[in-house]
Structures are given as C-alpha cells and as structure tokens.
C-alpha cells in the first residue's frame, strides 16, 4: 500500500507545510477581548503536517476512489443520476453569478433576480402550476414546505383540527411519510393493487373529513403510471383535501403532461434530478415548490416579483407560512437548472422523457429472461426487477449489487420499494448510450449465470474495489468520524 491509502494524519511529519502565507497586515488582537477564556486554545490544533505534493496526491487519490456520473454508469433507481452538462457549471461560475452576495441591495443584483424570476416562470409551465417558490433547499424540504401550506390552507378554512391525516401509497419514497409526520400529520398507508398502482377501493375507504391530503408521485416508484390519477384527485378534492405531487419521477413526463393537468394542487421539483444540477455528496440541492392559484397566499416569503422592468422582494403576504430557508434558495444550483432548461428548450425536454422511457423499457426487456419481473406492463423511466429467483439459489440481491461493482458500474437501488421482494430498481436515464445499456445488461446477465454456475463468485464480491466487503452493521452502529492521534 502507498501512503495515499493512509489517513492524512498517518503521513504527517512535524515541521512539514503545504502552504506559505504572507505576514498579516492586520494588527493582531488579544483573543480574550473577544472570546471567553474557556473557548481559547491553550495549544495549537493537532492538524496534519504534510508537504504540498503530499497534500495534492492525498486528495487526488481520494477523488479517484469516488464514483460519480462523470466516470461511470449510475443506474440508481428513483434517483435520476443523469449526466450533468458542463455548460451548466461554466455559467454558474460567471463572476456576475458566483461573486455576488445575498446581502447586496436588490438594485445591485437585478440580473440574478431576473434569472430567478424567469426560472420560476419556466418551472410553472413545466409543472402546470400558477406560482413557484425557489426557497426550499432540497426535495425533502420542498415536501415539508408543501405540507405546511396544506396545514395553513386548512387552518384558514377553519378545519385544521379535524384534518389530521395525509394519505401515502405503500410504494412511496420514505421522505413522504417522514415529511408528513414532521409537519404534524398522521400518516395513513394506502396499499397497491396487483397491478402496482394505488388501490382505489382502499383509497375510498380511507378518505373522509379527517383527510388533509394525498401525497404521491406519478409515475410511481415502480415506474408505473397511475392511470387513475384524475379519479384519485377528484376523490380527494370532493372530501376537501389537497393533492400533492412528489416530483421525484418528473423525468418520465417532461413535455408529455404536467402534474397540474393530472389534478395536483402542490408540486415539489428536484432540480438535481430532472434538471441536471449536481447530485449527491450531501448538497447543496434545490427543491422548488409550485402551487395552484388558490394556494399562492401561503407561499414562503419573501417572493421574487417583477414590477414593470424591475425585480423586487415582496414579503407582504400575511397568510404566508414564512421563510423556509435563508435568502432566496441555493442560487448556484438554480443557475445550473436555468441553464439546462434554456439549453434544452421545450423540444429537448420532451425528448428527455421519451429517451428515458425508451432506455428503461429496452433494458427491462433484455433482463426479463434472467430476473423475475413482478409487474409486466410497460415501464416509464425506471423499472423494478426481483432477485427472488437468485435468492432461492442461495444468493440474495445484496450480493448481486456487490458483484456489479466489479464491472465498473454503480449498483441499482436494492430492497426498495418495500412491496417487491428482493427488489432491484434500475433507472438508466436518457443520457446513456445504447452501448452502455447493452454492456450493463450483459453484466447483469453474466451475474445471473454466475449465480447458477459459480454462486461463490457472487457471494464473495466485490473483488476490484479499493476495499472489499465491509462490516456494514458495525459501520452503522460504531460510527467513527474523527481521528484520534
């Protein structure tokens, strides 16, 4: 092993330095005049002491161990890990965008506010909504924001005390019930029917005067389009509830239809998914929320508005749920999404969904002979296989996911959605070539053959990664994130 496989603390040697700073031209101050004595260090921080080449090689080595869409196929189901065009990055780094500050007077950043306002208008059209807020920092916060507006709406109508329940399909993302609970609602699970869509009979049984709303995505997490969505929306609306769209799977319907046309009242969008901003790594993200006209008074403030040829921030909405994030959203992420939308245009966005759906169905058909298929209808942008056949042969799905790493691919989502035994959820996105799809299919087919002929090959994988099998239970229960000298 080289030193670049070690912790940086382990290669540290006293006296080495990777930087040289000029002498400060600012007078030193006595820290005790600014901070209490107990907050002031008595000894220097124990930072690693390495040379500049050591520092660069260490972090470059770490970067090569990280997997991302720039160095491989990332078929993580329900995550839409599409390639991020580099023009988005270039535009976000323009000085006029990257060098501004949120404390600047609005008059000095009119160009930035123009971009945000136009992005709002673009997303309104794409989602079929009447207004958009760019404040939420991510999809989950967008969910919470939408649910808080549902709460505010029922409060304004005088029946919040009675409307305590949010209905959520059993195939939903885990953030849906979590967000509903965080917003103060009780969660009611609605089962799926044998076709993988919401069971309307069960839905009708659960709807009543205590229904605040329904949360779902369409197509759902199984990659199946909820063909009864109009009827579902009518059922909820007749009961006085609202219908919320989780935008996780918007990539499947871009340019084809909109949540607004399906009857949804509130929408959150994941800019890191459908609109190709950076994805993963803990953020920052962006989860804009759109609403129909009757919910506009409840949107977060301040709102970006246009007055003649001038852009302003307006906080004069007394029924607003208030501010949900500092400033006006994650600006750099929004710039990337704006660039992507304007680069693609309406025809390009429509082609995105057409290609994403085509790729998913092509890949599913190639894999169906080798893995169980719990639902046989055509998929949208993603599909779910089952490794139950392989599990019966002694190889659970987790091992298939480990083995695929040896072929240079990220693993599909496994064991989700929960309603599919030994689930393998695959989303190829529109940005991959047929050659990549075929190579990935060939790899999964080879693994299926290995399960039958040499199962130990799969059970002991991976072989080519920088580390082999981890003790995942120990890693979760004994999480160590600091170095002790």
């Amino acid at each position: 092993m080289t030193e670049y496989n070690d912790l940086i603390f382990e290669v540290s040697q006293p006296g080495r330095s990777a930087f040289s700073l000029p002498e400060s031209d600012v007078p030193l101050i006595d820290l005790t005049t600014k901070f209490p004595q107990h907050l002031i260090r008595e000894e220097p921080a124990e930072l690693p002491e390495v040379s500049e080449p050591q520092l660069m090689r260490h972090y470059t080595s770490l970067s090569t161990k990280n997997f991302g869409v720039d160095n491989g196929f990332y078929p993580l189901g329900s995550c839409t890990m599409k390639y991020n065009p580099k023009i988005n990055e270039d535009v976000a780094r323009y000085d006029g965008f990257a060098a501004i500050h949120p404390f600047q007077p609005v008059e000095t950043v009119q160009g930035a506010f123009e971009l945000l306002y136009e992005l709002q208008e673009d997303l309104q059209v794409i989602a079929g909504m009447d207004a958009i807020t760019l404040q939420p920092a991510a999809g989950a916060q967008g969910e919470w924001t939408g649910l808080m507006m549902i709460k505010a709406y029922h409060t304004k109508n005088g029946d919040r005390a009675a409307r305590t329940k949010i209905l959520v399909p059993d195939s939903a993302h885990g953030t849906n019930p979590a967000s509903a609970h965080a917003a103060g609602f009780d969660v009611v699970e609605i089962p799926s029917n044998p076709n993988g869509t919401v069971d309307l009979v069960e839905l009708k049984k659960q709807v009543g005067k205590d229904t605040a709303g329904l949360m779902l995505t369409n197509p759902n997490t199984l990659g199946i389009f909820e063909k009864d969505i109009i009827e579902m929306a009518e059922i909820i609306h007749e009961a006085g509830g609202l219908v919320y769209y989780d935008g996780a799977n918007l990539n499947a319907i871009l340019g084809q239809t909109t949540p607004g046309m399906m009857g949804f009242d509130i929408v959150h969008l994941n800019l890191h998914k459908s609109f190709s901003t950076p994805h993963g790594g803990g953020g920052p993200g962006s989860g804009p929320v759109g609403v129909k006209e009757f919910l506009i008074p409840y949107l977060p403030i301040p709102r970006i508005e246009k007055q003649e040829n001038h852009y302003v921030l307006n906080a004069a909405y007394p029924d607003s749920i208030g501010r949900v994030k500092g400033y006006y959203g994650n600006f750099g992420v929004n710039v990337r999404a704006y660039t992507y939308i304007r680069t693609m245009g309406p025809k390009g966005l429509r082609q995105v969904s057409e290609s994403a759906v085509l790729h998913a169905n092509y890949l599913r058909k190639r894999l169906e002979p080798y893995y169980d298929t719990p639902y046989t209808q055509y998929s949208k942008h993603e599909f779910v296989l089952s490794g139950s056949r392989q599990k019966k042969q002694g190889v659970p799905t987790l091992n298939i996911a480990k083995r695929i790493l040896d072929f240079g691919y990220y693993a599909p989502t496994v064991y989700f959605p929960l309603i599919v035994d030994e689930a393998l959820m695959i989303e190829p996105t529109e940005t991959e070539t047929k050659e990549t799809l075929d190579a990935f299919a060939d790899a999964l087919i080879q693994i299926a053959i290995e399960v039958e002929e040499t199962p130990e090959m799969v059970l002991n994988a991976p072989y080519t990664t920088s580390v082999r099998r981890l003790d995942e239970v120990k890693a979760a229960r004994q999480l160590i994130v600091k170095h002790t000298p």
Side-chain angles (χ1 to χ4, degrees), residues 179-295:
S179 297
H181 180 75
F185 292 103
D186 297 325
V187 178
V188 178
E189 183 180 283
I190 306 299
S192 298
N193 60 34
N195 295 321
T197 54
V198 172
D199 189 321
L200 288 184
V201 174
E202 292 298 323
L203 177 66
K204 292 174 182 177
K205 288 181 182 179
Q206 296 295 340
V207 172
K209 293 182 179 179
D210 58 358
T211 300
L214 168 71
M215 297 181 77
L216 77 162
T217 185
N218 197 19
N220 61 29
T221 308
L222 297 168
I224 301 170
F225 191 83
E226 297 278 359
K227 61 181 179 60
D228 297 318
I229 185 59
I230 299 296
E231 185 176 353
M232 279 191 274
E234 290 174 349
I235 291 170
I236 300 299
H237 288 150
E238 287 175 4
L242 301 181
V243 189
Y244 181 97
Y245 184 84
D246 178 338
N249 297 337
L250 189 74
N251 215 53
I253 63 168
L254 284 175
Q256 312 294 330
T257 184
T258 70
M261 293 174 65
M262 299 179 204
F264 288 92
D265 305 299
I266 306 176
V267 174
H268 95 257
L269 306 173
N270 298 291
L271 299 193
H272 55 279
K273 291 188 178 185
S274 306
F275 304 103
S276 200
T277 66
H279 195 170
S286 183
V289 172
V291 296
K292 289 293 190 176
E293 186 174 6
F294 71 97
L295 292 170

Side-chain angles (χ1 to χ4, degrees), residues 104-107 109-118 304 311-313 328 331:
Q104 286 184 230
V106 174
E107 293 74 18
V109 284
Q110 283 291 294
F113 279 104
E114 180 180 3
L115 181 147
L116 294 175
Y117 182 83
E118 291 186 356
I304 301 167
Y311 298 91
V312 299
L313 292 172
Y328 325 110
F331 180 67

Side-chain angles (χ1 to χ4, degrees), residues 356-385 389 424 426 428 434 437-438 440-442 444-445:
V357 171
L358 176 63
H359 290 182
N361 281 280
Y362 175 74
L363 205 51
R364 182 172 66 89
K365 280 296 182 183
R366 282 214 58 196
L367 294 172
E368 276 183 347
Y370 302 91
Y371 296 87
D372 290 339
T373 307
Y375 303 100
T376 58
Q377 62 265 58
Y378 283 112
S379 305
K380 291 302 177 184
H381 66 306
E382 64 187 0
F383 62 97
V384 180
L385 301 175
R389 185 190 316 177
L424 275 160
I426 299 170
K434 182 177 180 295
L437 300 181
D438 281 331
F440 178 72
D442 290 342
L444 276 177
I445 291 169

Side-chain angles (χ1 to χ4, degrees), residues 37 50-51 61 75 89 102 116 126 138 146 154 169 183 228 263 271 334 347 434 439:
Q37 185 66 44
V50 295
S51 67
S61 176
E89 302 299 317
L116 294 175
I126 291 169
H154 290 308
D228 297 318
L271 299 193
N334 292 330
K347 291 183 179 179
K434 182 177 180 295

Side-chain angles (χ1 to χ4, degrees), residues 67-76 80-84 251 276 340 351-352 354-360 362-363 381 408-410 426-441:
F67 194 94
V69 292
D70 285 354
N71 60 358
F73 181 39
Y74 215 124
L76 199 63
T80 314
M81 301 296 289
K82 64 170 71 177
Y83 174 77
N84 305 141
N251 215 53
S276 200
Y340 177 76
Q351 185 179 350
V352 162
E354 291 172 349
S355 296
V357 171
L358 176 63
H359 290 182
Y362 175 74
L363 205 51
H381 66 306
Y409 305 114
Y410 200 88
I426 299 170
E427 182 181 1
T429 83
E430 79 283 359
T431 57
E432 301 302 330
T433 64
K434 182 177 180 295
E435 291 82 3
T436 297
L437 300 181
D438 281 331
F440 178 72

